[in-house]
Amino acid sequence: MLFTKKNHLIGVDIGSRTVKVGEALQKEEGWVLRNFGMTDLPQGAIVEGRIKEPETVAEAIKGLTQKLKIKETNVATSISGYSVIIKKIVVGNMSDEELHENIQYEAEQYIPFDVQDVNIDFQILGTHESNPNQMNVMLVAAKAEVVDEYIELLEMADLSPRIIDVDVFALEKAFEQSYLPEENSVALVDIGANKLNVNIVKNNVSAFTRDVAVGGEEITLEIVNRLGCTFEEAEKIKLGKTPDKMPRQDLQDIIFSFVSSWCSEIRRVIDFYYSTYPNETIKRIILSGGAVKTEGFLKHLAAETSSEVEFLDPFRNLEINEKNHDKEYLTSVAPQAAICMGLASRRVDDK
């Protein structure tokens, strides 16, 4: 028997090059996959998290929801990048209501934006480890103009935005839904077309996050620069669809140079985490995003960090009707679907 759908939401992950839409329903014994699909966006429609061609993106979302025959209009989506600040702060003990009244004052000390220009949220994490009179709080601030852009975009697609999440927390939700609780620190790494997110989670709580402006599009643009071809042609070369356009060794050299750079960035984030928490060890890294299957990346990252590295599969604990879904396809796109399915498991009253 399915639980009531009054809090039911569709997950809509709006990336720089693709839109993903997912839907999962909750049963007494677990979750069921109802819908998942994705569609490409043209280059330049979204740049660094900002929507440059809202009509184009809205039509892509609308077309995908129609193709999937989705009737629900309430959705959860997420944002990331430099318009979002995530900070773990320490404040004196107070109630949720008291902190709500004082959060703007607390936020002013930690965010580089005018507090009048941001939307602020928080989550009380618990008592501070060394001072019982203080508590840890996760502070999140997002530029209001960016949030408004995404709200307007979804409304253009005939959808009703109910939750505007942050990529790293949607990814964390997908991880929680798909894997057993971990006492050790785990690094969740998501790499898309032009952004890399790292979220280090300990005891199912985010301990440290970092966004870096790198991603799979770097490889495509380097091919464009070398060959003078179009972006679309370079994408095909990168994916090995036109092997006659560039010698394989040249392509491998380009890919390796950027893969090495990504691994170095991730290693720097982990080293910074170790400097803050010297007694911690990250033995496991979970990968998601469209660029993480880039040739050689997983193996190189495992060697660079001395950690177990694997792809995140947000479908692994979902009941899947093979008459309605191609499991081979879902396995192939699983890392790309992680944020979307994390959003799809949100509910209207989620904090």
Side-chain angles (χ1 to χ4, degrees):
M1 173 179 157
L2 293 176
F3 290 149
T4 176
K5 288 179 59 180
K6 66 179 181 178
N7 288 333
H8 181 60
L9 293 171
I10 303 300
V12 180
D13 176 20
I14 305 167
S16 295
R17 295 307 311 279
T18 59
V19 170
K20 280 81 70 178
V21 172
E23 183 178 19
L25 295 177
Q26 195 170 14
K27 294 172 63 176
E28 292 180 351
E29 62 272 21
W31 290 78
V32 179
L33 177 66
R34 172 170 280 188
N35 278 300
F36 176 78
M38 52 196 291
T39 188
D40 291 338
L41 293 174
Q43 187 202 16
I46 296 179
V47 179
E48 296 181 353
R50 302 303 298 266
I51 301 163
K52 302 299 183 181
E53 299 177 17
E55 294 84 3
T56 300
V57 181
E59 282 302 315
I61 296 170
K62 190 184 297 186
L64 184 54
T65 56
Q66 290 173 349
K67 178 182 177 182
L68 295 173
K69 299 180 180 179
I70 291 175
K71 303 299 184 184
E72 181 64 67
T73 58
N74 290 331
V75 303
T77 194
S78 58
I79 58 177
S80 66
Y82 295 117
S83 61
V84 179
I85 300 295
I86 303 171
K87 188 78 175 177
K88 188 176 178 182
I89 66 174
V90 178
V91 302
N93 284 338
M94 64 183 83
S95 68
D96 193 274
E97 292 77 14
E98 289 172 323
L99 183 55
H100 193 272
E101 293 175 2
N102 291 284
I103 194 62
Q104 278 204 327
Y105 168 75
E106 298 291 347
E108 283 179 338
Q109 306 172 60
Y110 298 101
I111 62 176
F113 311 134
D114 188 324
V115 292
Q116 303 303 319
D117 298 331
V118 298
N119 292 346
I120 298 172
D121 202 357
F122 65 87
Q123 178 71 45
I124 297 174
L125 302 178
T127 304
H128 189 265
E129 298 79 6
S130 57
N131 187 341
N133 296 316
Q134 294 181 314
M135 61 185 186
N136 295 314
V137 174
M138 187 66 73
L139 173 70
V140 182
K143 283 189 175 180
E145 61 179 347
V146 176
V147 173
D148 291 343
E149 275 183 14
Y150 279 77
I151 290 173
E152 291 168 10
L153 172 70
L154 290 167
E155 289 175 345
M156 285 176 63
D158 299 329
L159 298 172
S160 301
R162 302 300 298 272
I163 289 179
I164 306 294
D165 205 344
V166 178
D167 282 4
V168 292
F169 296 141
L171 185 61
E172 186 178 330
K173 182 72 171 176
F175 173 71
E176 290 174 5
Q177 293 280 92
S178 305
Y179 297 82
L180 294 173
E182 290 261 1
E183 292 184 5
N184 297 318
S185 296
V186 177
L188 307 180
V189 176
D190 185 86
I191 308 179
N194 51 38
K195 54 91 177 174
L196 183 157
N197 301 134
V198 181
N199 182 11
I200 299 177
V201 178
K202 179 173 172 59
N203 293 324
N204 286 339
V205 175
S206 177
F208 182 78
T209 67
R210 179 66 54 86
D211 282 357
V212 185
V214 300
E217 205 167 271
E218 293 179 302
I219 298 172
T220 309
L221 292 174
E222 179 61 22
I223 295 170
V224 170
N225 290 336
R226 293 208 188 181
L227 298 184
C229 60
T230 66
F231 187 90
E232 289 70 22
E233 288 171 336
E235 275 284 296
K236 291 179 180 179
I237 293 169
K238 179 177 76 172
L239 298 173
K241 294 180 179 179
T242 53
D244 57 315
K245 299 291 185 180
M246 173 179 273
R248 176 162 173 77
Q249 187 59 52
D250 290 354
L251 177 59
Q252 287 182 323
D253 289 345
I254 292 172
I255 290 173
F256 183 76
S257 67
F258 285 104
V259 161
S260 298
S261 175
W262 301 345
C263 292
S264 296
E265 290 285 357
I266 296 165
R267 181 61 201 236
R268 275 194 284 271
V269 174
I270 290 173
D271 286 346
F272 185 85
Y273 177 70
Y274 286 158
S275 69
T276 308
Y277 301 95
N279 296 323
E280 291 298 321
T281 301
I282 296 172
K283 296 182 178 179
R284 196 173 177 205
I285 299 174
I286 312 292
L287 301 177
S288 62
V292 295
K293 286 194 172 182
T294 300
E295 183 180 356
F297 174 59
L298 186 148
K299 185 177 180 180
H300 193 86
L301 183 61
E304 179 84 12
T305 60
S306 301
S307 301
E308 295 179 15
V309 183
E310 62 185 281
F311 296 124
L312 198 159
D313 180 2
F315 303 115
R316 63 186 290 175
N317 285 342
L318 298 182
E319 181 184 322
I320 298 172
N321 185 333
E322 294 191 40
K323 292 181 180 178
N324 301 327
H325 303 283
D326 182 344
K327 291 196 76 172
E328 187 175 333
Y329 168 74
L330 292 176
T331 298
S332 70
V333 300
Q336 287 175 272
I339 289 175
C340 177
M341 296 312 299
L343 292 168
S345 64
R346 293 290 192 199
R347 290 299 175 257
V348 172
D349 53 0
D350 272 0
K351 174 65 174 175

